[in-house]
Amino acid sequence: MSLDIARIRHDFPVLQREVRPGVPLVYLDSTATSQKPLAVIQAMDNFYRLSNANIHRGVHTLAEEATALYEEARQKVARFINAPAARQILFTRNTTESINLVAYAWARASLKSGDLVILTEMEHHSNLVPWHMLAAERGIRLEFIPVTEEGLLDLEVYRALLSQDPKLVAFTHMSNVLGTVTPAEEIIRLAHEAGALTLVDGAQSVPHLPIDVRALDVDFLAFSAHKMLGPTGIGVLYGKEKLLESMHPFLGGGDMIKEVKLRSFRPNDLPHKFEAGTPAIAEAVGLGAAVDYLTEAGMSAVRAHEQEIIAYALERLEEIPGLHVLGPSADKKGGVAAFTLDGVHPHDVAQILDMSGIAVRAGHHCAQPLHEKFGIPASTRASFYIYNTLEEVDKLVNGIYKVKEIFG
């Protein structure tokens, strides 16, 4: 299958705008957040116009409609990642909250001083800071799978770390800086052989790759709606049912309880045990619409399109003197091209590109240790998605040549 990119671009209102008169938008920042198709915008608009009500407790028509839409979104997400049951899908605010939920509700009850958690050097801060906090609180030990010069994980070091009886291996499926697609299935298999559980940060992989949690055999998978054409403010944690059943609630309040007395309470069943208070109902509806959109496109087609884009982008970027792309070759990465340009700060690169309507990201991308690993304070990052074209890559390259002209 191939994507009809012209039709897809027509579905995204923001791609039709000019950022200033005569300067059309070239949006190359989807790793930070994706744009939203009309189907998502209209689904949320329809909810607020026609079915807005709180969920689960009401018996009137709007409450029942809202509840049905919310739970239908959960079913869609479960099918999208091939989860065995919808009750294994927990709605959170984002990937960060999903990882923190595991750190608080599973790790704090299961890990003790000296227990080992294995991470990697390419982690986003959301999969580093919760474990630093737990290490300071409980004395757990953190070790890291190194990143090679090519931008891949050193699996020989990983195998050696597994001999130290780890309790958890938590790692990104796709780096938001290097674009590296990590060998998740192998990492998970080796972790389980060593008796460890696994947590995968899927913030970058779920929007871009076909994901099957049963084939991966992952214990926990975290991801966000806003990076997969959906709204901000809602994320997902998938977990194996026995693990979720064994965990204490993350937050206390309404809807996560089955019974409350003055001196005790009984938690609700899955998934409601972990969804305290009024949730992001309209956002769940939007996420459901985003899942429908990606399902119709076909995730294999999405992946193929991005592979074509990134292969062409790397080829063009390598033509530019003084430009250095971070990460592996196109066949080992997703649609992410982070780079440095000799003599020019990444923020200056991004600001000058914006003059040509080209939206990229500059900074450490919430991955400071990874940038330190490569001896750089920051990078400029262009990232691609379902709606980007080869012509936009050419505009990026032309824009970088303008940067070079300005800085001599």
Side-chain angles (χ1 to χ4, degrees):
M1 291 178 59
S2 61
L3 301 177
D4 183 346
I5 303 303
R7 182 191 65 78
I8 286 172
R9 288 181 64 82
H10 185 72
D11 291 339
F12 290 79
V14 73
L15 300 183
Q16 318 308 318
R17 71 163 289 186
E18 295 180 343
V19 294
R20 56 187 63 86
V23 182
L25 171 67
V26 177
Y27 189 77
L28 305 180
D29 196 22
S30 292
T31 294
T33 196
S34 65
Q35 293 301 337
K36 322 305 175 192
L38 272 171
V40 170
I41 298 168
Q42 290 170 347
M44 296 177 69
D45 182 67
N46 287 340
F47 170 77
Y48 278 127
R49 286 177 182 270
L50 303 174
S51 302
N52 180 53
N54 215 327
I55 60 170
H56 292 152
R57 294 177 290 277
V59 295
H60 58 78
T61 299
L62 266 59
E64 290 184 345
E65 287 178 357
T67 298
L69 288 167
Y70 183 80
E71 294 302 336
E72 182 183 28
R74 197 191 308 275
Q75 293 277 356
K76 290 177 179 179
V77 172
R79 289 193 295 269
F80 189 67
I81 62 172
N82 197 29
R87 60 183 173 273
Q88 295 172 258
I89 302 298
L90 314 182
F91 286 139
T92 62
R93 286 187 305 155
N94 43 45
T95 305
T96 300
E97 185 171 284
S98 295
I99 294 171
N100 275 272
L101 194 159
V102 176
Y104 277 86
W106 176 79
R108 276 172 171 76
S110 304
L111 302 183
K112 61 184 186 302
S113 179
D115 282 347
L116 174 61
V117 172
I118 297 176
L119 308 167
T120 85
E121 290 182 337
M122 65 171 65
E123 297 309 310
H124 188 280
H125 295 167
S126 62
N127 198 31
L128 287 174
V129 177
W131 307 112
H132 288 318
M133 294 168 66
L134 191 59
E137 178 185 323
R138 295 292 176 86
I140 66 166
R141 187 162 59 95
L142 307 179
E143 295 292 346
F144 300 87
I145 307 171
V147 176
T148 68
E149 287 299 314
E150 188 186 357
L152 304 175
L153 293 179
D154 189 332
L155 294 187
E156 289 305 311
V157 173
Y158 175 51
R159 289 185 177 90
L161 289 173
L162 288 174
S163 67
Q164 300 180 32
D165 190 29
K167 305 304 180 187
L168 178 71
V169 179
F171 66 98
T172 182
H173 197 179
M174 190 171 101
S175 168
N176 72 315
V177 177
L178 306 176
T180 306
V181 178
T182 59
E185 193 167 346
E186 181 180 6
I187 293 171
I188 292 166
R189 176 180 56 81
L190 291 172
H192 287 166
E193 289 175 0
L197 297 183
T198 55
L199 164 63
V200 170
D201 175 354
Q204 302 300 335
S205 62
V206 174
H208 302 280
L209 310 174
I211 300 296
D212 183 332
V213 293
R214 284 191 262 194
L216 286 172
D217 195 26
V218 64
D219 298 295
F220 298 106
L221 173 70
F223 56 100
S224 295
H226 75 98
K227 296 182 188 293
M228 54 186 289
L229 309 184
T232 56
I234 186 167
V236 174
L237 177 67
Y238 158 82
K240 287 185 175 177
E241 189 166 357
K242 286 185 178 180
L243 287 170
L244 297 177
E245 291 283 10
S246 71
M247 291 157 53
H248 294 297
F250 178 40
L251 298 172
D255 214 34
M256 52 70 63
I257 46 81
K258 186 171 289 185
E259 182 184 51
V260 177
K261 297 182 180 298
L262 285 179
R263 299 186 185 278
S264 64
F265 80 96
R266 286 193 299 136
N268 209 337
D269 298 326
L270 292 176
H272 313 298
K273 178 170 75 169
F274 294 102
E275 296 180 8
T278 298
I281 306 168
E283 289 78 3
V285 173
L287 171 56
V291 167
D292 287 341
Y293 193 96
L294 289 171
T295 300
E296 182 179 351
M299 291 308 296
S300 293
V302 172
R303 173 63 171 154
H305 173 68
E306 290 182 19
Q307 285 182 306
E308 179 186 11
I309 292 281
I310 192 61
Y312 182 69
L314 295 188
E315 181 182 335
R316 290 298 322 274
L317 290 170
E318 287 169 1
E319 300 172 2
I320 302 174
L323 188 146
H324 311 280
V325 178
L326 304 176
S329 55
D331 60 313
K332 298 174 183 175
K333 70 189 301 176
V336 180
F339 60 89
T340 59
L341 188 63
D342 290 348
V344 188
H345 194 280
H347 287 97
D348 293 326
V349 175
Q351 192 165 17
I352 294 170
L353 287 175
D354 181 62
M355 294 168 59
S356 298
I358 302 167
V360 297
R361 182 74 36 165
H364 53 64
H365 317 303
C366 292
Q368 282 185 290
L370 182 61
H371 282 79
E372 291 175 4
K373 169 81 174 187
F374 287 97
I376 54 176
S379 62
T380 307
R381 184 186 68 197
S383 54
F384 309 97
Y385 203 10
I386 188 172
Y387 35 66
N388 290 120
T389 66
L390 299 179
E391 290 75 18
E392 289 180 314
V393 174
D394 292 334
K395 290 181 179 180
L396 170 66
V397 171
N398 292 337
I400 295 171
Y401 275 114
K402 287 183 183 179
V403 174
K404 288 177 65 66
E405 289 176 12
I406 290 172
F407 281 85

Coordinates of all heavy atoms in Angstrom, one line a residue, residues 267-328:
P267 N -10.9 -0.5 46.0 CA -10.7 0.1 44.6 C -11.6 -0.6 43.6 O -12.1 -1.7 43.8 CB -9.2 -0.2 44.4 CG -8.9 -1.4 45.2 CD -9.8 -1.2 46.5
N268 N -11.8 0.1 42.5 CA -12.6 -0.3 41.4 C -11.9 -1.4 40.6 O -10.7 -1.7 40.8 CB -13.0 0.8 40.5 CG -14.3 0.6 39.8 OD1 -14.8 -0.5 39.6 ND2 -15.0 1.7 39.4
D269 N -12.6 -2.0 39.7 CA -12.0 -3.0 38.8 C -11.2 -2.2 37.7 O -11.3 -1.0 37.5 CB -13.0 -3.8 38.1 CG -13.8 -4.7 39.1 OD1 -13.3 -5.1 40.1 OD2 -15.0 -4.9 38.9
L270 N -10.3 -3.0 37.0 CA -9.6 -2.4 35.8 C -10.6 -2.0 34.7 O -11.6 -2.7 34.5 CB -8.6 -3.5 35.2 CG -7.4 -3.9 36.1 CD1 -6.7 -5.0 35.4 CD2 -6.5 -2.7 36.3
P271 N -10.3 -1.0 34.0 CA -9.2 -0.1 34.1 C -9.5 1.1 35.1 O -8.6 1.9 35.3 CB -9.1 0.4 32.7 CG -10.5 0.5 32.2 CD -11.2 -0.7 32.8
H272 N -10.7 1.2 35.6 CA -11.1 2.3 36.3 C -10.4 2.6 37.6 O -10.3 3.7 38.1 CB -12.6 2.2 36.6 CG -13.4 1.8 35.4 ND1 -13.5 2.6 34.3 CD2 -14.2 0.7 35.2 CE1 -14.2 1.9 33.4 NE2 -14.6 0.8 33.9
K273 N -9.7 1.5 38.1 CA -8.9 1.6 39.4 C -7.8 2.7 39.2 O -7.4 3.3 40.2 CB -8.3 0.3 39.7 CG -7.4 0.3 40.9 CD -7.0 -1.1 41.3 CE -5.9 -1.7 40.4 NZ -5.4 -3.0 40.9
F274 N -7.4 2.9 38.0 CA -6.3 3.9 37.7 C -6.7 5.2 37.1 O -5.9 5.9 36.6 CB -5.2 3.2 36.9 CG -4.5 2.0 37.5 CD1 -4.9 0.7 37.2 CD2 -3.6 2.3 38.5 CE1 -4.3 -0.3 37.9 CE2 -3.0 1.2 39.2 CZ -3.3 -0.1 38.8
E275 N -8.0 5.4 37.0 CA -8.5 6.6 36.4 C -9.4 7.4 37.3 O -10.6 7.5 37.2 CB -9.3 6.3 35.1 CG -8.4 5.6 34.0 CD -9.2 5.2 32.8 OE1 -10.3 5.6 32.6 OE2 -8.6 4.5 31.9
A276 N -8.8 8.1 38.3 CA -9.5 8.8 39.3 C -10.0 10.1 38.8 O -9.3 10.8 38.0 CB -8.5 9.1 40.5
G277 N -11.2 10.5 39.2 CA -11.8 11.8 38.8 C -12.3 11.8 37.4 O -12.3 10.8 36.7
T278 N -12.8 13.0 37.0 CA -13.3 13.1 35.7 C -12.2 13.1 34.7 O -11.2 13.9 34.8 CB -14.1 14.5 35.5 OG1 -15.2 14.4 36.4 CG2 -14.6 14.7 34.1
P279 N -12.2 12.2 33.7 CA -11.0 12.1 32.8 C -11.1 13.0 31.6 O -12.1 13.8 31.5 CB -11.2 10.6 32.3 CG -12.6 10.4 32.3 CD -13.2 11.2 33.5
A280 N -10.2 12.9 30.7 CA -10.2 13.7 29.5 C -11.1 13.1 28.5 O -10.7 12.4 27.6 CB -8.8 13.9 29.0
I281 N -12.4 13.4 28.6 CA -13.4 12.6 27.8 C -13.4 13.0 26.3 O -13.2 12.2 25.4 CB -14.8 12.9 28.4 CG1 -14.9 12.5 29.9 CG2 -15.9 12.0 27.6 CD1 -16.1 13.0 30.6
A282 N -13.4 14.3 26.1 CA -13.3 14.8 24.7 C -12.0 14.4 24.0 O -12.0 14.0 22.8 CB -13.5 16.3 24.6
E283 N -10.9 14.4 24.8 CA -9.6 14.0 24.3 C -9.6 12.5 23.9 O -9.0 12.1 23.0 CB -8.5 14.3 25.3 CG -8.3 15.8 25.4 CD -9.3 16.6 26.3 OE1 -10.2 15.9 26.8 OE2 -9.2 17.8 26.4
A284 N -10.3 11.7 24.7 CA -10.4 10.2 24.4 C -11.1 10.1 23.1 O -10.8 9.2 22.3 CB -11.1 9.5 25.5
V285 N -12.2 10.8 22.9 CA -12.9 10.8 21.7 C -12.0 11.2 20.5 O -12.0 10.5 19.4 CB -14.2 11.7 21.7 CG1 -14.9 11.8 20.3 CG2 -15.2 11.2 22.8
G286 N -11.2 12.2 20.7 CA -10.3 12.6 19.7 C -9.2 11.5 19.4 O -8.9 11.3 18.2
L287 N -8.7 10.9 20.4 CA -7.8 9.8 20.3 C -8.4 8.7 19.5 O -7.8 8.1 18.6 CB -7.3 9.3 21.6 CG -6.5 8.0 21.7 CD1 -5.2 8.1 20.8 CD2 -6.1 7.7 23.1
G288 N -9.7 8.3 19.8 CA -10.3 7.3 19.0 C -10.4 7.6 17.5 O -10.2 6.8 16.7
A289 N -10.7 8.9 17.2 CA -10.8 9.3 15.8 C -9.4 9.2 15.2 O -9.3 8.9 14.0 CB -11.3 10.7 15.7
A290 N -8.3 9.6 15.9 CA -7.0 9.5 15.4 C -6.6 8.0 15.1 O -6.0 7.7 14.1 CB -6.0 10.1 16.4
V291 N -7.0 7.1 16.0 CA -6.7 5.7 15.8 C -7.4 5.3 14.5 O -6.9 4.5 13.7 CB -7.1 4.9 17.0 CG1 -7.2 3.4 16.7 CG2 -6.2 5.1 18.1
D292 N -8.7 5.7 14.3 CA -9.4 5.3 13.1 C -8.7 5.8 11.9 O -8.6 5.1 10.9 CB -10.8 6.0 13.1 CG -11.8 5.3 14.1 OD1 -11.5 4.2 14.5 OD2 -12.8 5.9 14.5
Y293 N -8.2 7.1 11.9 CA -7.5 7.7 10.8 C -6.2 6.8 10.4 O -6.0 6.5 9.3 CB -7.1 9.1 11.1 CG -6.7 9.9 9.9 CD1 -7.6 10.7 9.2 CD2 -5.4 9.9 9.4 CE1 -7.2 11.4 8.1 CE2 -5.0 10.6 8.3 CZ -5.9 11.4 7.6 OH -5.5 12.1 6.5
L294 N -5.4 6.5 11.4 CA -4.2 5.8 11.2 C -4.5 4.3 10.8 O -3.8 3.8 9.9 CB -3.3 5.8 12.5 CG -2.7 7.1 12.8 CD1 -2.0 7.1 14.2 CD2 -1.6 7.5 11.8
T295 N -5.5 3.8 11.3 CA -5.9 2.4 10.9 C -6.3 2.4 9.5 O -5.9 1.4 8.7 CB -7.1 1.9 11.8 OG1 -6.6 1.9 13.2 CG2 -7.5 0.5 11.4
E296 N -7.1 3.4 9.0 CA -7.5 3.4 7.6 C -6.3 3.6 6.7 O -6.2 3.0 5.6 CB -8.5 4.6 7.4 CG -9.0 4.6 6.0 CD -10.0 5.7 5.8 OE1 -10.5 6.3 6.8 OE2 -10.4 6.0 4.6
A297 N -5.3 4.5 7.1 CA -4.1 4.7 6.3 C -3.3 3.4 6.3 O -2.7 3.1 5.2 CB -3.3 5.8 6.9
G298 N -3.2 2.6 7.4 CA -2.4 1.4 7.4 C -1.1 1.7 8.0 O -0.3 2.5 7.4
M299 N -0.7 1.2 9.1 CA 0.5 1.5 9.8 C 1.8 1.0 9.0 O 2.8 1.6 9.0 CB 0.6 1.0 11.2 CG -0.4 1.7 12.1 SD -0.2 3.5 12.1 CE 1.4 3.7 12.8
S300 N 1.6 0.0 8.2 CA 2.7 -0.5 7.3 C 3.0 0.6 6.3 O 4.1 0.9 5.9 CB 2.4 -1.8 6.7 OG 2.4 -2.8 7.7
A301 N 1.9 1.2 5.7 CA 2.0 2.2 4.7 C 2.6 3.5 5.3 O 3.4 4.2 4.7 CB 0.7 2.5 4.1
V302 N 2.2 3.8 6.6 CA 2.8 5.0 7.3 C 4.3 4.8 7.4 O 5.1 5.7 7.1 CB 2.2 5.2 8.6 CG1 2.9 6.2 9.5 CG2 0.7 5.5 8.5
R303 N 4.7 3.6 7.9 CA 6.1 3.3 8.0 C 6.9 3.3 6.7 O 8.0 3.9 6.6 CB 6.3 1.9 8.7 CG 7.7 1.3 8.8 CD 8.6 2.2 9.6 NE 9.8 1.5 9.9 CZ 11.0 2.2 10.2 NH1 11.0 3.5 10.2 NH2 12.1 1.6 10.4
A304 N 6.3 2.8 5.7 CA 7.0 2.8 4.3 C 7.2 4.2 3.8 O 8.2 4.6 3.3 CB 6.2 2.0 3.4
H305 N 6.1 5.1 4.0 CA 6.2 6.5 3.6 C 7.4 7.2 4.3 O 8.2 7.9 3.7 CB 4.9 7.2 3.8 CG 4.9 8.6 3.5 ND1 5.1 9.2 2.3 CD2 4.9 9.7 4.4 CE1 5.1 10.5 2.3 NE2 5.0 10.8 3.6
E306 N 7.4 7.0 5.6 CA 8.4 7.7 6.4 C 9.8 7.2 6.1 O 10.8 7.9 6.1 CB 8.1 7.5 7.9 CG 6.9 8.3 8.3 CD 6.6 8.2 9.8 OE1 7.5 7.8 10.6 OE2 5.5 8.5 10.2
Q307 N 10.0 5.9 5.8 CA 11.3 5.4 5.4 C 11.7 6.0 4.1 O 12.9 6.3 3.9 CB 11.2 3.8 5.2 CG 11.2 3.1 6.6 CD 11.1 1.6 6.4 OE1 10.3 1.0 5.7 NE2 12.1 0.9 7.0
E308 N 10.8 6.2 3.2 CA 11.1 6.9 1.9 C 11.6 8.3 2.2 O 12.6 8.8 1.6 CB 9.9 6.9 1.0 CG 10.2 7.6 -0.4 CD 9.0 7.8 -1.2 OE1 7.9 7.5 -0.7 OE2 9.1 8.2 -2.4
I309 N 10.8 9.0 3.1 CA 11.1 10.4 3.4 C 12.5 10.5 4.1 O 13.3 11.4 3.7 CB 10.1 11.0 4.3 CG1 8.7 11.2 3.5 CG2 10.5 12.4 4.9 CD1 8.7 12.4 2.6
I310 N 12.8 9.7 5.1 CA 14.0 9.8 5.8 C 15.2 9.4 5.0 O 16.3 10.0 5.1 CB 14.0 9.0 7.2 CG1 15.1 9.4 8.1 CG2 13.9 7.6 7.0 CD1 15.2 10.9 8.5
A311 N 15.1 8.4 4.1 CA 16.2 8.0 3.3 C 16.6 9.2 2.4 O 17.7 9.5 2.2 CB 15.8 6.8 2.5
Y312 N 15.5 9.9 1.8 CA 15.8 11.0 0.9 C 16.4 12.2 1.7 O 17.3 12.8 1.3 CB 14.5 11.4 0.2 CG 14.7 12.6 -0.7 CD1 15.4 12.4 -1.9 CD2 14.1 13.8 -0.5 CE1 15.5 13.5 -2.8 CE2 14.3 14.9 -1.3 CZ 15.0 14.7 -2.5 OH 15.1 15.8 -3.4
A313 N 15.8 12.4 2.9 CA 16.3 13.5 3.8 C 17.8 13.3 4.1 O 18.6 14.3 4.0 CB 15.5 13.6 5.0
L314 N 18.2 12.1 4.5 CA 19.6 11.9 4.9 C 20.5 12.1 3.7 O 21.6 12.6 3.8 CB 19.7 10.5 5.5 CG 19.0 10.2 6.8 CD1 19.4 8.9 7.4 CD2 19.3 11.3 7.8
E315 N 20.0 11.6 2.5 CA 20.8 11.8 1.3 C 21.1 13.2 1.0 O 22.2 13.7 0.7 CB 20.1 11.1 0.2 CG 20.8 11.1 -1.2 CD 20.1 10.5 -2.3 OE1 19.2 9.6 -2.0 OE2 20.3 10.9 -3.5
R316 N 20.0 14.0 1.1 CA 20.1 15.5 0.8 C 21.0 16.2 1.9 O 21.8 17.1 1.6 CB 18.8 16.1 0.7 CG 17.9 15.7 -0.5 CD 18.5 16.1 -1.9 NE 19.2 17.4 -1.9 CZ 18.7 18.6 -2.1 NH1 17.3 18.7 -2.3 NH2 19.4 19.7 -2.1
L317 N 20.7 15.9 3.1 CA 21.4 16.6 4.2 C 22.9 16.3 4.2 O 23.7 17.2 4.5 CB 20.8 16.2 5.6 CG 19.4 16.7 5.9 CD1 18.9 16.0 7.1 CD2 19.4 18.2 6.0
E318 N 23.3 15.1 3.8 CA 24.7 14.8 3.7 C 25.4 15.5 2.6 O 26.7 15.6 2.7 CB 24.8 13.2 3.5 CG 24.5 12.4 4.7 CD 24.4 10.9 4.4 OE1 24.6 10.5 3.3 OE2 24.1 10.2 5.4
E319 N 24.7 16.2 1.7 CA 25.4 17.0 0.7 C 25.9 18.3 1.3 O 26.7 18.9 0.7 CB 24.3 17.3 -0.4 CG 23.7 16.2 -1.1 CD 22.6 16.6 -2.1 OE1 22.4 17.8 -2.1 OE2 22.0 15.7 -2.7
I320 N 25.3 18.7 2.4 CA 25.6 20.1 2.9 C 26.9 20.1 3.7 O 27.1 19.4 4.7 CB 24.5 20.5 3.9 CG1 23.1 20.5 3.1 CG2 24.8 21.9 4.4 CD1 21.9 20.8 4.0
P321 N 27.9 20.9 3.3 CA 29.2 20.9 4.0 C 29.0 21.4 5.4 O 28.3 22.3 5.7 CB 30.0 21.9 3.2 CG 29.4 21.9 1.8 CD 27.9 21.7 2.1
G322 N 29.7 20.7 6.4 CA 29.6 21.1 7.8 C 28.4 20.7 8.5 O 28.3 21.0 9.7
L323 N 27.5 19.9 7.9 CA 26.3 19.4 8.6 C 26.6 18.0 9.0 O 27.0 17.2 8.2 CB 25.1 19.5 7.7 CG 23.7 19.2 8.3 CD1 22.6 20.1 7.8 CD2 23.4 17.7 8.2
H324 N 26.2 17.7 10.2 CA 26.4 16.3 10.8 C 25.1 15.8 11.4 O 24.6 16.3 12.3 CB 27.5 16.4 11.9 CG 28.7 17.1 11.5 ND1 29.7 16.6 10.7 CD2 29.1 18.4 11.7 CE1 30.7 17.5 10.5 NE2 30.3 18.6 11.1
V325 N 24.6 14.7 10.8 CA 23.4 14.1 11.2 C 23.7 13.1 12.3 O 24.6 12.3 12.3 CB 22.6 13.4 10.1 CG1 21.4 12.7 10.6 CG2 22.3 14.4 8.9
L326 N 22.9 13.2 13.4 CA 23.0 12.2 14.5 C 22.2 10.9 14.2 O 21.2 11.0 13.6 CB 22.5 12.8 15.8 CG 23.1 14.2 16.2 CD1 22.4 14.7 17.5 CD2 24.6 14.0 16.5
G327 N 22.8 9.8 14.7 CA 22.0 8.6 14.6 C 22.4 7.7 13.4 O 23.3 8.1 12.6
P328 N 21.7 6.6 13.3 CA 22.1 5.6 12.3 C 21.6 5.9 10.9 O 21.0 6.9 10.7 CB 21.5 4.3 12.9 CG 20.3 4.8 13.6 CD 20.6 6.1 14.1

